[in-house]
Amino acid sequence: DSGYGVYSNGIGDVTVKDFSNISDFNIGIELVSSDDSYIQNLSLISIADIGINVSDSDYVSISTVMINGSGNSAIYIDSGSSYGDFSVEIYETISGKPDVYNGGSGNDIGGNFTGDVGIEVQNSMSLYGNLSFTKTGINVTSGYLTLDGKGYAMYAVSGGSDGHGIFINGQDGVTIKDFTNITGFGKDS
């Protein structure tokens, strides 16, 4: 596995959609300085490192994307990428790595997550629909941020999980608001 399935650098308003498979690459899709871009209706299979890497790109929308097999994070959003909407289905990520790493601010994230950690958060984020997890839902790794449920719920699937809904350890100034429900976590599967 090497290279990229799709690579965009410095080009805005890029649309990648309607693929049955993008497979066997180091990084499935890389967006660098690609504001106002869209990734829709596709599958990423057997990706060695990162399924979708969003770097220095604002207002990116990812919807109806299934990611199966990723050596690092299925989706990695760096601190220079903000105000995106991400709704995904994650399957088979590497143990101990988050399905989605969110370093950017103001991103909305939704979907179904199967990794040990669904979302690792370093900046404020909002829910983009109900979220389901098989283990820990959201791991907060930085302080002074807001998790806004926007009236949506987080839940553990398959009779519960041995993880936490929202895990905050040693971080000051974290605000959690407007969740309708956080349920099913902390149970043995």
Side-chain angles (χ1 to χ4, degrees):
D1 297 338
S2 64
Y4 305 91
V6 175
Y7 180 82
S8 173
N9 187 349
I11 307 296
D13 198 21
V14 173
T15 299
V16 180
K17 69 178 189 173
D18 300 330
F19 283 84
S20 58
N21 281 322
I22 295 176
S23 63
D24 300 313
F25 290 99
N26 189 41
I27 295 177
I29 299 172
E30 172 101 15
L31 299 177
V32 179
S33 300
S34 298
D35 294 348
D36 302 303
S37 292
Y38 302 90
I39 300 170
Q40 304 168 324
N41 195 30
L42 56 89
S43 294
L44 297 164
I45 308 293
S46 299
I47 304 299
D49 190 21
I50 298 173
I52 300 172
N53 190 29
V54 180
S55 178
D56 295 321
S57 302
D58 293 334
Y59 303 102
V60 171
S61 176
I62 299 174
S63 64
T64 318
V65 172
M66 192 276 294
I67 300 174
N68 185 340
S70 176
N72 201 336
S73 295
I75 298 178
Y76 188 94
I77 308 160
D78 80 355
S79 62
S81 301
S82 300
Y83 311 110
D85 295 322
F86 305 95
S87 180
V88 296
E89 304 285 328
I90 309 292
Y91 301 96
E92 294 184 24
T93 54
I94 297 299
S95 178
K97 302 288 185 177
D99 288 341
V100 174
Y101 170 84
N102 179 43
S105 181
N107 290 313
D108 297 338
I109 300 175
N112 301 312
F113 305 91
T114 61
D116 289 345
V117 174
I119 304 167
E120 182 175 314
V121 177
Q122 294 229 328
N123 239 316
S124 294
M125 66 159 275
S126 300
L127 266 59
Y128 185 56
N130 293 325
L131 304 180
S132 69
F133 302 93
T134 56
K135 292 197 176 178
T136 293
I138 298 174
N139 182 23
V140 178
T141 58
S142 186
Y144 302 97
L145 58 81
T146 298
L147 301 177
D148 187 348
K150 285 192 171 179
Y152 293 109
M154 286 177 52
Y155 57 93
V157 296
S158 302
S161 79
D162 57 0
H164 309 284
I166 298 173
F167 182 72
I168 306 165
N169 187 12
Q171 308 303 329
D172 294 328
V174 176
T175 300
I176 301 167
K177 68 177 192 173
D178 200 21
F179 285 79
T180 57
N181 216 347
I182 300 174
T183 188
F185 295 92
K187 300 177 183 177
D188 291 327
S189 297

